[in-house]
Amino acid sequence: MPLNPAVANRSTGVVPPGRPGGFELALLDRGADVLQTTAPLARFDVYVVGFHCVKGEPDLQMEAHHFCKVVNADMLQCVLFDGNTRDANLIGIEYIVSEALYGTLPEEERAAWHPHNHEVFSGELVAPGLPVAIETELMGHLVNSYGKTWHTWHSTAMGEHPAQPLPLGDPMLMWSFNREGEVDEALRRDRNAAMHTDPEPRKASRAKYLDRAHPQQGVGTMRDAFSGTSPTPGVVDAQDGRP
């Protein structure tokens, strides 16, 4: 999917080690382009950028570029990259479900699904290239939704942790941020400056959905792991009633 020319390029990950593809592999790739189907990838045309942290590890934070397919009114499927250029690395997957589908999950399964209201109402989740008014309509569909995200490769540096040259170890369950000030300010500032994604007009535009916001499970899961944070309007934990 070609990006809107107005969308800033964002190439953030490592270049994996390895030899150039070579003549034979290039021919195979060209043959695949002509003869094989890419139908399952055709509808991954919703592009949003947000921030994730490893569940239980507040310092392990990274920027994630989501390319999503709208399955139906209650589910999206997303493939995650560390940038939006042709050489971006595939780093994980995310499934997004509505509040209604989340309610059908077994109780023990729900612990793997993070809430999304902070990402919406803080303005931290963005859809680069869309006018704010259209982006706001998209975000309205994510109010009260939940995501299950696995990262298989931490290809960008996270705080003091260097980028991994290859996808090492087990997949890691990621979590959402749920209060203002939880995202590392340098990470947040860098993305916003590079991609021209000022959160303030987004907050103001999305405030019209505040009356739709319901308390969500998981808002307080990592609350005590951060300091110096403040509540986000519309974000309340369903279990203890606290922001």
Side-chain angles (χ1 to χ4, degrees):
M1 178 188 65
L3 286 176
N4 181 333
V7 177
N9 284 346
R10 188 65 164 150
S11 181
T12 58
V14 298
V15 176
R19 297 171 297 158
F23 180 69
E24 294 85 357
L25 190 58
L27 283 180
L28 176 61
D29 186 45
R30 290 177 187 174
D33 281 347
V34 174
L35 300 174
Q36 293 187 296
T37 183
T38 58
L41 299 175
R43 292 173 51 211
F44 283 83
D45 51 11
V46 175
Y47 172 44
V48 297
V49 185
F51 303 106
H52 295 156
C53 68
V54 176
K55 187 177 183 183
E57 299 284 350
D59 294 331
L60 300 184
Q61 305 184 15
M62 74 184 313
E63 180 182 310
H65 296 251
H66 307 56
F67 291 84
C68 303
K69 175 172 72 174
V70 179
V71 177
N72 54 42
D74 290 287
M75 186 177 193
L76 287 80
Q77 300 174 3
C78 306
V79 287
L80 308 182
F81 294 84
D82 58 10
N84 62 16
T85 57
R86 290 174 66 91
D87 59 353
N89 296 306
L90 175 67
I91 60 170
I93 57 171
E94 178 167 2
Y95 300 102
I96 297 173
V97 298
S98 66
E99 182 179 39
L101 283 188
Y102 176 82
T104 69
L105 296 174
E107 191 65 36
E108 64 274 14
E109 169 66 16
R110 296 181 189 182
W113 294 76
H114 60 263
H116 280 155
N117 279 355
H118 168 81
E119 295 187 64
V120 173
F121 293 117
S122 66
E124 287 175 2
L125 183 66
V126 301
L130 291 183
V132 169
I134 297 175
E135 181 191 70
T136 299
E137 295 302 311
L138 168 62
M139 296 300 161
H141 292 286
L142 298 180
V143 173
N144 301 322
S145 67
Y146 291 83
K148 184 178 185 179
T149 303
W150 292 96
H151 279 198
T152 55
W153 187 359
H154 289 153
S155 61
T156 57
M158 297 181 295
E160 297 179 356
H161 298 264
Q164 297 177 348
L166 291 169
L168 307 176
D170 295 331
M172 302 191 79
L173 182 65
M174 308 304 284
W175 207 248
S176 57
F177 299 101
N178 290 285
R179 290 171 64 89
E180 299 280 359
E182 290 185 347
V183 176
D184 179 82
E185 182 56 27
L187 184 66
R188 180 176 178 270
R189 185 170 54 246
D190 181 57
R191 192 281 307 268
N192 290 338
M195 302 200 74
H196 315 295
T197 50
D198 183 356
E200 294 308 318
R202 291 171 164 84
K203 288 183 190 179
S205 184
R206 299 173 194 181
K208 69 180 182 178
Y209 298 127
L210 283 171
D211 60 353
R212 294 189 195 174
H214 298 158
Q216 290 197 284
Q217 300 284 341
V219 166
T221 296
M222 291 184 62
R223 182 191 294 133
D224 296 336
F226 298 94
S227 60
T229 64
S230 58
T232 304
V235 181
V236 176
D237 188 88
Q239 290 182 297
D240 62 19
R242 295 170 53 197

